[in-house]
Amino acid sequence: MRILFLLAFSLTARFASGQRIEFTFEGDSTTIPLVSDSLRGISGLEIVPTTGEWHFVSDRGWHFIFKNIRNIRDLGDKSRLKLAQKTPFWFEGVRYNAQATTYFWTDEHEFTTSLLYGKSISDTANKVLLKMPLPGPNKGLEGIALTSSGALWVAPEAGWEGETRMNQDTITFFRYPDPLSPDPVIERYKYPINRCPFTQGEELLGGISEIVAVDDKRVLVLERCYDAGKKQVTANLYVATPDEATHTLTKELAFDFTRQFSGITCNLEAMAWADEAKQTLVLVADDNFRRNRTLRNQVIVLHRR
């Protein structure tokens, strides 16, 4: 009887962790008003459901905290903006480990890109987990995801050094099983990236804008292309599942913005779960300090089916 129970539990757990993930758009999107003049260039978002804090970071060093956000239109209420702080970091992503009360963030300057952590984003005692020259022009460390066990996934925008070529159809994700260890181990997984042959310049390489953990194994990956000729953004959301035997990631489409989103998709850069149950996903676009057809502080909410 015990063997049958364990077998049934194992099969149930395996089925649950392998469930197909898809999203739906139910019409919830808006543009964040400039409740602060510096609320521009948003490149990262982390939502902490236990505290109700929404952390926005920009690629020119700003860190914003909103509180008591019940729906995305509350972001236009200046009274909910609790912090607008300038830092020395040019952020690309931010995550918070509640168990360790530690923030992780990626930083990209003109020639270098870094992964750091600390007890606060302005922590002068922060530690550098990874630092390297940019693998390609404007293509550095981009997405980070924390799993429920505390493991940290790290994704470059278009690949590491030697991977940022059009004929290179896989890039490497790093996984730190314990990023806070004194001597952290790095596991490497190959990910099949979409290049963008219909675009121009550095956009040809494609781009991973952000990643976020689904569970202790899988991550959501946001990929995006920008066609300057058509002034059009195409974006897809994928579920990436690791194979620990081959150290590869397979991906499955979870949401196609061109086909499933009813509005104009902007320069999507950031995403985070809005709830602990991981049923509601919030995505934010970077306005690049301008406003036009695809550049504004767009916020989109997706729901799991």
Side-chain angles (χ1 to χ4, degrees):
M1 182 69 179
R2 177 176 172 79
I3 293 173
L4 288 174
F5 171 79
L6 290 173
L7 178 60
F9 176 82
S10 173
L11 288 172
T12 302
R14 191 177 304 171
F15 175 77
S17 65
Q19 281 182 322
R20 181 179 176 86
I21 295 176
E22 294 179 316
F23 290 86
T24 181
F25 173 67
E26 298 174 5
D28 206 3
S29 68
T30 190
T31 298
I32 308 175
L34 293 178
V35 294
S36 168
D37 290 341
S38 51
L39 189 64
R40 313 295 294 266
I42 299 302
S43 53
L45 169 68
E46 178 67 315
I47 299 172
V48 185
T50 53
T51 64
E53 293 182 344
W54 290 43
H55 294 259
F56 292 85
V57 292
S58 87
D59 57 15
R60 289 300 179 269
W62 284 92
H63 173 211
F64 306 92
I65 301 178
F66 287 82
K67 295 195 75 171
N68 303 317
I69 301 300
R70 296 161 302 181
N71 62 69
I72 56 176
R73 280 154 193 81
D74 287 342
L75 295 168
D77 181 351
K78 193 170 185 176
S79 69
R80 300 175 194 271
L81 178 60
K82 301 303 180 184
L83 176 75
Q85 182 180 48
K86 191 73 163 67
T87 79
F89 307 108
W90 287 12
F91 297 100
E92 291 296 338
V94 60
R95 292 288 174 245
Y96 180 65
N97 183 327
Q99 288 74 31
T101 60
T102 299
Y103 291 90
F104 293 84
W105 63 94
T106 48
D107 172 39
E108 181 182 314
H109 278 74
E110 189 174 0
F111 301 111
T112 60
T113 183
S114 309
L115 171 63
L116 306 98
Y117 65 93
K119 290 298 181 180
S120 74
I121 293 176
S122 58
D123 187 356
T124 55
N126 65 75
K127 296 184 179 180
V128 177
L129 196 56
L130 183 64
K131 185 173 183 177
M132 66 179 66
L134 282 184
N138 196 30
K139 301 290 184 184
L141 296 172
E142 193 76 13
I144 49 178
L146 278 167
T147 72
S148 54
S149 67
L152 180 71
W153 286 93
V154 184
E157 184 172 357
W160 306 103
E161 185 176 0
E163 294 182 335
T164 55
R165 301 186 303 267
M166 280 297 291
N167 62 354
Q168 178 81 28
D169 58 5
T170 61
I171 64 173
T172 306
F173 281 21
F174 285 1
R175 182 180 181 273
Y176 292 84
D178 182 5
L180 298 177
S181 164
D183 187 18
V185 172
I186 301 176
E187 300 171 349
R188 292 167 172 81
Y189 285 80
K190 289 294 183 182
Y191 175 84
I193 191 173
N194 294 344
R195 301 302 186 185
C196 305
F198 54 87
T199 63
Q200 304 80 31
E202 65 187 35
E203 298 295 332
L204 288 164
L205 295 173
I208 291 172
S209 294
E210 187 58 284
I211 62 174
V212 65
V214 175
D215 48 39
D216 207 37
K217 296 290 184 183
R218 298 174 296 174
V219 292
L220 289 177
V221 181
L222 177 63
E223 293 195 49
R224 183 201 63 208
C225 297
Y226 177 65
D227 186 339
K230 294 183 178 179
K231 292 184 171 52
Q232 182 179 12
V233 173
T234 58
N236 289 303
L237 190 60
Y238 296 98
V239 180
T241 304
D243 183 324
E244 295 181 0
T246 61
H247 275 234
T248 58
L249 288 154
T250 58
K251 70 183 187 183
E252 189 172 21
L253 185 65
F255 191 83
D256 180 339
F257 285 86
T258 301
R259 188 171 51 84
Q260 296 174 263
F261 178 58
S262 58
I264 294 171
T265 303
C266 291
N267 182 35
L268 294 176
E269 278 277 352
M271 66 178 176
W273 294 109
D275 57 328
E276 289 186 276
K278 297 183 177 179
Q279 297 298 306
T280 303
L281 188 71
V282 180
L283 300 100
V284 182
D286 176 359
D287 69 353
N288 279 349
F289 301 89
R290 297 189 293 277
R291 180 170 177 135
N292 59 33
R293 188 173 185 269
T294 59
L295 294 174
R296 54 189 172 89
N297 286 342
Q298 182 185 45
V299 184
I300 298 172
V301 178
L302 301 181
H303 297 280
R304 281 176 73 165
R305 285 180 173 169

